[in-house]
Amino acid sequence: MEPEQPETGPLTILIIVAHPDDIDFGSGGSVATWTSEGHRVVYCLITDGDAGGFDEEITRTDMASLRREEQTAAAGILGVDELHFLGWPDGRLYVTHELRRDLSRVIRQVRPDRVVTQSPTRNLRSMYGSHPDHTAAGEAAMCAVYPDARNPFAHPELLAEEGLAAHTVSEVWITHMGEGADHYVDTTDAFDRKVEALRAHKSQTAHMDDLRGRMWGWGRSQAKAAGFEAERTAEGYVVLDTR
């Protein structure tokens, strides 16, 4: 499979995930590649990751603040300065009407050409990739893309009270952590920036002795699945036409 070719003209790409660091693990190389190509990338973090980390001395409120700071720093490394933090509780994410409304709001504000999100289905071969917050984030994002954000009669308060007109997202890219992706981004030239961004999440990655090696191994497995030449890294996606 050939590497992704740049689109004609700059795109607006909105990435919706459950936790700070989810983007950097799953799509950090893609983000660095896209911003380098001149695309506008915007982050939407549904939770602040307040249930994460390993320090029992830090309060959960302080952890949430720390993880926002870490995510903002990591985003800057990859060329992103637009972040939406929704503040939903970490570990208690469900697909509700209210969450769909909040994501529809962000979609209508950002008006993306592409939404990138997590898989809404459980991968039985990947426990970590199937965190229930991840699958809930993916399902809620898909519901917000269709039918909510494009339907002016869904969440009518967004238009009536906030002036946010309906918006149709042209495509959705599902981050794919295992086999079965149908599109790959060659991230080789962006690999070092991906690792640097992950290291900015000190509360989550400082204990990882071989973070670079782990990411290289995963990126190489994706590149191999894509059919790229040796010593390349990649990130895979399932791409959906949602026009």
Side-chain angles (χ1 to χ4, degrees), residues 89 94 97 137 160 170 206-207:
Y94 304 98
H97 183 78
S170 295
H207 67 288

Side-chain angles (χ1 to χ4, degrees), residues 87-142:
W88 283 72
D90 184 7
R92 291 177 283 161
L93 204 58
Y94 304 98
V95 183
T96 63
H97 183 78
E98 291 75 18
L99 178 56
R100 289 168 55 174
R101 177 206 59 213
D102 287 358
L103 294 179
S104 297
R105 175 185 291 112
V106 175
I107 289 172
R108 292 187 186 189
Q109 289 171 334
V110 175
R111 309 190 78 77
D113 303 291
R114 174 188 303 161
V115 164
V116 180
T117 193
Q118 293 161 304
S119 175
T121 60
R122 179 174 290 278
N123 179 351
L124 297 179
R125 298 184 183 277
S126 176
M127 181 176 70
Y128 296 107
S130 294
H131 189 300
D133 280 0
H134 294 180
T135 57
E139 177 63 22
M142 291 296 296

Side-chain angles (χ1 to χ4, degrees), residues 1 4 26-27 30 34 114-121 123 138 142 169-185 218 222 235-242:
M1 185 176 295
E4 177 197 4
S27 298
S30 301
W34 293 331
R114 174 188 303 161
V115 164
V116 180
T117 193
Q118 293 161 304
S119 175
T121 60
N123 179 351
M142 291 296 296
V169 177
S170 295
E171 60 183 21
V172 171
W173 289 32
I174 304 295
T175 305
H176 201 81
M177 300 298 286
E179 299 177 356
D182 57 25
H183 199 89
Y184 293 86
V185 177
W218 180 75
Q222 294 289 291
E235 291 168 351
Y237 301 87
V238 174
V239 177
L240 310 172
D241 185 336
T242 53

